[in-house]
Amino acid sequence: MNEDDQLRERFRRMGFAGEPPMASTATDDLARGRRHLRRRRAATLTGGVVGVVAVAAGVAFALPGGEPFGAEEVPVAGRGAGDAPSSAPADPSGDTTATPTEAPTSTPTAADTPPGDDFGFPATRQLLLATAVEHLDPAHEHLPATTSGITGGGTNVGTKLEWLVEGDDGMGLVQVAVTGPGYADEYEFARQDFAVNIGCEIDTDRCTEQPIPGTDETALVGAANPEMHLLFSIVYERADGSLVGIAVSDLFGNNSTIPLAEMDVSLGQGFAFVTDPDLQVASDELDDESGVGAVTLPEGAGETPLPED
């Protein structure tokens, strides 16, 4: 007996019992599967709805105080969030009218008041103006009533004053300045810087030392410069090291394009201005450098710039 015959004989001897007859067909199995799937979907859907209702109910009653969250109105398109829903049409016969809310009266603030003088050294600048009026314009017909700008910095206090003549469309300029004691020696080029701002370039033929009439003192005098519309300038150094300066021009170039036809200010009046003993930096402003506080402002601060062409 070969090997194949032996294997067949062994399988025969094992005596497998016959399979029981099939109780259902494949069609029955498919139908049962479909019914099971429908029951499972129905159970899942029912459980989800119940869970959502439970969560909503829990939120509505779990919030402490006030109306429950569930009672809050949900905004509806076309109606503002603050508009209450209407449960009944409005009664056209009602005579109730809305009372307009009166606007509260505003309290004036600092922004409502005109700004003050923010240029610094107001007393010294006003003294410069008053001294210029005294010596150059005694009738006070040409110079302004107040100053509106500052030049210099630290204890070098200056201002530019417009000079107007009735019937003349032009605008002239009187630039004046005074410093605190010892200013001329504060740094190496203090004199030169002060003088050039007044229109007097030291060590040039345009700025020469000249005697002050009626005294044994001298001052630096800047010659007329038609190109700059400068009529004259003076720089005077006092014994205490303070400097006083004045420049007179027939055109206030930053504020006007029209020079004056005539500006009646003499060199003698300029000398009287720079030698006035009462022209000093105000003592209280000198002590604490009030207003400017050692901040150097740009030349021409406070002037009105001309529009560009």
Side-chain angles (χ1 to χ4, degrees):
M1 182 178 295
N2 58 29
E3 184 176 354
D4 293 337
D5 294 337
Q6 291 177 358
L7 287 174
R8 282 193 293 271
E9 180 63 22
R10 289 179 181 177
F11 278 116
R12 186 183 62 77
R13 290 177 182 177
M14 289 179 66
F16 284 106
E19 271 190 32
M22 295 181 64
S24 63
T25 65
T27 302
D28 296 333
D29 293 338
L30 183 58
R32 282 195 301 272
R34 288 174 176 171
R35 288 194 298 271
H36 175 72
L37 182 59
R38 285 195 297 269
R39 286 195 300 270
R40 183 174 179 181
R41 287 176 177 173
T44 302
L45 180 60
T46 304
V49 172
V50 172
V52 171
V53 173
V55 170
V59 172
F61 295 100
L63 296 177
E67 293 185 357
F69 179 82
E72 183 176 347
E73 180 190 353
V74 178
V76 179
R79 190 179 72 210
D83 297 337
S86 176
S87 58
D91 183 4
S93 63
D95 58 358
T96 303
T97 57
T99 303
T101 303
E102 184 178 354
T105 302
S106 59
T107 302
T109 64
D112 300 324
T113 61
D117 186 338
D118 297 327
F119 296 114
F121 288 91
T124 301
R125 289 188 291 110
Q126 194 62 27
L127 180 58
L128 283 165
L129 171 58
T131 306
V133 169
E134 177 183 355
H135 296 290
L136 280 61
D137 183 23
H140 207 166
E141 297 174 341
H142 308 292
L143 289 170
T146 60
T147 65
S148 58
I150 189 170
T151 61
T155 57
N156 173 9
V157 185
T159 190
K160 293 183 176 182
L161 309 170
E162 67 268 19
W163 182 281
L164 300 176
V165 176
E166 186 177 358
D168 193 324
D169 294 333
M171 177 184 292
L173 167 67
V174 175
Q175 182 177 349
V176 288
V178 64
T179 76
Y183 185 88
D185 298 319
E186 281 192 3
Y187 58 95
E188 184 178 359
F189 299 104
R191 290 179 183 83
Q192 288 88 333
D193 289 347
F194 182 88
V196 75
N197 287 332
I198 290 296
C200 188
E201 298 179 32
I202 296 179
D203 300 328
T204 69
D205 57 358
R206 288 188 177 278
C207 187
T208 59
E209 190 170 354
Q210 296 184 21
I212 300 175
T215 73
D216 57 357
E217 297 182 291
T218 61
L220 293 170
V221 178
N225 185 350
E227 293 180 0
M228 303 298 295
H229 291 275
L230 178 68
L231 302 183
F232 68 83
S233 61
I234 302 173
V235 175
Y236 172 60
E237 182 177 347
R238 293 166 169 162
D240 63 358
S242 62
L243 299 172
V244 185
I246 183 173
V248 178
S249 305
D250 62 9
L251 175 65
F252 197 151
N254 198 60
N255 287 14
S256 176
T257 58
I258 305 175
L260 289 171
E262 183 179 0
M263 190 169 179
D264 188 16
V265 181
S266 67
L267 185 62
Q269 289 173 304
F271 281 131
F273 173 86
V274 297
T275 56
D276 190 314
D278 295 328
L279 182 52
Q280 308 280 345
V281 177
S283 59
D284 56 340
E285 295 175 342
L286 179 63
D287 291 341
D288 60 6
E289 295 185 358
S290 64
V292 174
V295 175
T296 300
L297 299 178
E299 187 74 14
E303 298 170 6
T304 304
L306 292 174
E308 296 181 358
D309 295 333

